Amino acid sequence: MSTENTGSLDTSLVAAAAGALAVMCASASFAGVLADAGWLIPALITVLAVVGVGVLGRRLGWPTVGVVAAQLAGLLVILTVLFASSSAILGVLPGPAAIAELARLLGGTGELIRTGVPPVPADPPLQALVCLGLGVVALLVDLIAVGIGTPAVTGLVLLCVFAIPASLADRMLPWWSFALGGAGYALLLAAAGHHRRWRRYEEPDRVAYALFGRTTAVVAGTAGVIAVLAGSVFTGVGTEGRLPGSVPEEFGGTDGIGLQPFTSLRGQLNRDRVVELFRVRGLQQDSYLRAMTLRKFDPRTGWQLDGLTQGVDANAPLPLPEGTTIGRGRPERIEVQPIGYRDPWLPVFGTPVSVSGMGRNWRYDPAAGIVFTQTNQETRPYTQQVIVPDPSPEELRAARGPMPIDPAYVDASGISPQVAELAQRLTADAPTEFDKAVAVNRFFTDPANGFRYDLTTAPSTGQDALSDFLFRGKRGFCEQYASSMAVLLRSLGIPSRVAIGFTAGYQDGTEQVITTEDAHAWVEAYFPGWGWQTFDPTPLSDGRTALPQFLDTALHPPQTPAPQPGQPRPGPVPGAPAPPVAGAQPDSRDVPQQRREPADRGWSITVLALIVLLACAGAATPLAIREIRRGQRLQAITEGREGAASTAWREVLDEVRDRGHQPRDTDTARQLADRLVTDHDLDATGADALKHLVTAVEREWYAPTAPSDGTLTDTLEAITRSLHHNAPLDLRSRLFPRSALPPWRTTP
């Protein structure tokens, strides 16, 4: 090495280090979805290894293809050392056993991603996946920024790093992750951008000025703003919950009954395996855990959430539900610890008196009986003070009086005459509203009527789904049963709604464990004074049903002794079983198989992510074109190719265009140079360099046999440095350089 290199910095090494730093800054976004920092050190080692192999390959003069191949091999080796060393050859080399171990480890990430709710622990499978992804990103950034010399294009690659955790997180990623990403990208632009203009070895003060000067600060701020906006878009897409009162379109238009309302629950509750959702302490008797209620019935699409109000602050003492004047019942204090549940609906038992511990911005709607939030936040452990109503059948039979509830709860529009006639026939002998509700409930649970719980419904006959279920199929799951019973009650004038939530789960020591298997839908019917009471028509055969005492007593009345000879037989019991339906099949009482996961809705996230990426790519295209063109010209000038002076002159003309001045076709090189010095106030160094370049251009144009000028690189650098100092570009011109846009007409 010559002495001129003493105390200088290798500019290609500076650019490579900036690329590695930019990748690690972008990886900070994973802090929003990974619960601990166990991934950080392996990721850092992986990125440094990939970039280090690239630096070594370029030092040895390998071609670009050879450098990329060596980096891929290095990535495989480092993954083997980090995650499969026990199966590797000599603990380092990736043999067949080590590759199989890595494949097994990476294959296990699918289940973690599908069942985990961010933030999730950074277990080895996720660490391996993150390291693999960041290793590939580091390779691409190193290739684009250092190998090809177009650092602006790396912004798209780094944006993808942000997009992955932002689309999975349920809330905004940490602000500092965007700040780090913007700063890393700005340093990469400064380092790799100057790399093509610097000499092979540069003085440290010049490198520091380029990396930490005003230009880099402006680019860093701009990149940070773009990263925050893009992160906001992706985070909104990835959020599991939605604003209460809305029904996302991706769940609309089903031909089943009651499927559409299962919007935010659907993605979590229909799994290929059981996922624990809650642990509950203090529950004295099995009861349903209500997440939301649905009041609007559409014969075409099923039940929908409708009419949810802003309600009251859920952290304050809660009023009785709308239309409820009797607050009698069993008081309970219940502690709920969410495990794998995150949604804008906070499930509650019974009649809530107070709820605490879940954080701010939670609301309670007394009309719907729902605790909800309109902000994206984590569901924390919370405590409920509740009243579990315990009316007797006689008290509900005697419930009379006005119904101070929304008339929408008795809306029976769209119900077919055939369904209404069935409801009348089932309740012909029921004297009270309560007995009618019991009779309808029994119609579904009595084995003689042929209804069976099943996760597959009977084939459609072309009729509406409700009629298909009630009169022909008689096979379905809780949504079908709850939806059908609520419709039948409304046709009788009994206010009703569908509730969605969970059964009580199973006992584990002093706790109740509620899992995805306990997702359930039931019916709530209104009785004056007593409010909304639970009915459950689903004929479950696995012991998960948790009927309130009044309903269990009414459905299973004490057996009366057989009459003695000569004594009259007792009359019909109100709410007795309805006559069997013709053609009914005996109940098989099959234990249902677990639910299948619905069609993946990740396509909507992917589509919107692609739209955002394409928009960002379109916005970055002019800057990318300008950087690519500049890099190619500088390389041609540095290598002294034919026409190097003309190439340098074209670069100066683009600098002029970027500043809003279109050169006239009639101007000679010297005329244009004079105007450039005057219009942009070039200093003496810049003016002298410009004259030197004009001389070289004229020599090349008019005396092509003359020897080439070997100082063109320094000459061009002096001109551009003078332009940047005396006529700096504004932010708009930096991001959207005019020289990369289609030319416009100007007046001579």
Side-chain angles (χ1 to χ4, degrees), residues 580-710:
V581 178
Q585 300 297 323
D587 184 15
S588 66
R589 312 299 282 175
D590 290 342
V591 177
Q593 298 298 317
Q594 196 169 343
R595 302 181 180 201
R596 298 287 183 185
E597 189 166 0
D600 184 12
R601 65 188 180 97
W603 64 269
S604 60
I605 297 175
T606 303
V607 170
L608 188 53
L610 288 175
I611 292 174
V612 174
L613 285 175
L614 289 175
C616 293
T621 297
L623 180 60
I625 292 174
R626 181 73 177 96
E627 288 293 329
I628 292 173
R629 187 179 297 162
R630 178 186 286 117
Q632 292 173 341
R633 288 171 176 168
L634 290 175
Q635 184 172 3
I637 295 169
T638 302
E639 295 175 357
R641 299 177 188 173
E642 183 178 357
S646 298
T647 301
W649 180 246
R650 286 193 293 271
E651 177 63 22
V652 171
L653 293 182
D654 277 356
E655 290 283 355
V656 173
R657 294 187 183 97
D658 289 343
R659 286 160 174 78
H661 295 272
Q662 182 70 7
R664 298 190 184 120
D665 294 336
T666 57
D667 284 343
T668 65
R670 289 191 177 275
Q671 289 173 333
L672 184 58
D674 292 339
R675 286 182 53 198
L676 179 58
V677 171
T678 303
D679 292 345
H680 298 297
D681 296 325
L682 294 189
D683 53 31
T685 303
D688 291 342
L690 187 57
K691 292 178 181 178
H692 184 77
L693 177 60
V694 169
T695 301
V697 169
E698 291 176 339
R699 182 187 304 115
E700 186 175 274
W701 290 350
Y702 306 118
T705 59
S708 60
D709 191 338

